[in-house]
Amino acid sequence: GAVVSQHPSRVICKSGTSVKIECRSLDFQATTMFWYRQFPKQSLMLMATSNEGSKATYEQGVEKDKFLINHASLTLSTLTVTSAHPEDSSFYICSASRLPSYEQYFGPGTRLTVT
Amino acid sequence: QQQVKQSPQSLIVQKGGISIINCAYENTAFDYFPWYQQFPGKGPALLIAIRPDVSEKKEGRFTISFNKSAKQFSLHIMDSQPGDSATYFCAASIGGTASKLTFGTGTRLQVML
């Protein structure tokens, strides 16, 4: 149990376009989902915390108008990178937390390349 | 105060040896300490986790040792195997379910044949 999926696994888009990444908890309900960004050979950087039915909480320095997060159901959260630029190229990873435990279960990640 | 310091940055161990990765924290409010394993191009996978009310937790070849007074915790991988070659992250969080994790900087482990 505790499987989290992400779609797509890899996406290439042109500069100025928007791209949506989906995060799904497949076999459990996740009241809270997290979105991370990871640069090559670096640690995970938390971007935002997403609670079902409410607005996401963004970490300091993360542009909420650029990285739109929606958590419409207990099994789905989406991250939309708007007006993407090459510097937004990165590995984006989501995680989901399953009540009542502390554990976070991570998705397989999405590699975004902006050309 | 929210940082978690991890060392070493990289580690090479012979097959069958013990891999040891250390983490230290400052914030005494942290009450959950997980370790994650990440393979290239994949998301992190939860390996093992500990709460501060115990000093050690063992699951198979993986053991967490926790020293509350020193504010340190470590991961020991016994009988290390080439398949253990990956990046390992320690993390910490505060205050219960679904709290955000503060990650260490990661350790790249390579287990040689």
Side-chain angles (χ1 to χ4, degrees):
Chain A
V3 178
V4 177
S5 70
Q6 277 183 247
H7 178 78
S9 58
R10 196 177 285 265
V11 58
I12 301 172
C13 70
K14 292 188 176 181
S15 188
T17 63
S18 296
V19 61
K20 181 185 284 188
I21 301 169
E22 291 187 349
C23 176
R24 293 182 185 272
S25 56
L26 297 185
D27 52 0
F28 66 100
Q29 292 185 329
T31 53
T32 303
M33 289 183 170
F34 302 85
W35 285 95
Y36 296 83
R37 186 173 179 175
Q38 187 177 34
F39 291 105
K41 298 185 180 181
Q42 293 191 22
S43 189
L44 286 79
M45 182 190 79
L46 180 66
M47 298 175 66
T49 302
S50 165
N51 290 295
E52 185 263 338
S54 61
K55 290 184 178 181
T57 302
Y58 290 82
E59 294 299 299
Q60 192 172 10
V62 177
E63 300 175 62
K64 60 182 179 182
D65 294 331
K66 180 165 188 62
F67 299 100
L68 301 178
I69 291 172
N70 183 274
H71 192 160
S73 77
L74 285 172
T75 59
L76 173 64
S77 177
T78 59
L79 167 67
T80 302
V81 183
T82 63
S83 187
H85 292 284
E87 57 265 30
D88 298 324
S89 298
S90 192
F91 193 51
Y92 292 89
I93 311 172
C94 71
S95 71
S97 189
R98 178 176 65 175
L99 289 175
S101 71
Y102 285 68
E103 288 104 1
Q104 283 187 33
Y105 298 92
F106 284 80
T110 297
R111 173 76 58 195
L112 170 63
T113 303
V114 184
T115 61
Chain B
Q1 196 177 17
Q2 289 290 339
Q3 279 188 326
V4 177
K5 295 181 180 179
Q6 184 171 347
S7 63
Q9 188 175 9
S10 62
L11 180 62
I12 298 175
V13 172
Q14 292 294 318
K15 180 184 175 184
I18 303 173
S19 304
I20 302 174
I21 305 170
N22 301 297
C23 284
Y25 63 97
E26 288 295 323
N27 192 341
T28 55
F30 284 138
D31 62 356
Y32 174 65
F33 303 89
W35 284 90
Y36 287 88
Q37 178 189 57
Q38 186 179 30
F39 293 103
K42 305 294 183 184
L46 178 65
L47 263 181
I48 186 172
I50 199 168
R51 308 268 177 91
D53 52 343
V54 295
S55 60
E56 186 175 282
K57 183 175 181 180
K58 184 176 180 179
E59 289 184 2
R61 296 186 293 110
F62 301 95
T63 300
I64 298 180
S65 296
F66 185 82
N67 187 328
K68 189 174 181 178
S69 60
K71 292 184 285 187
Q72 296 175 348
F73 58 110
S74 60
L75 175 69
H76 292 62
I77 305 174
M78 312 299 286
D79 187 26
S80 298
Q81 299 297 313
D84 296 331
S85 298
T87 299
Y88 293 81
F89 293 96
C90 63
S93 68
I94 301 171
T97 307
S99 297
K100 61 183 184 181
L101 292 166
T102 299
F103 279 89
T105 50
T107 297
R108 296 188 76 186
L109 171 65
Q110 189 174 1
V111 181
M112 308 294 288
L113 287 168

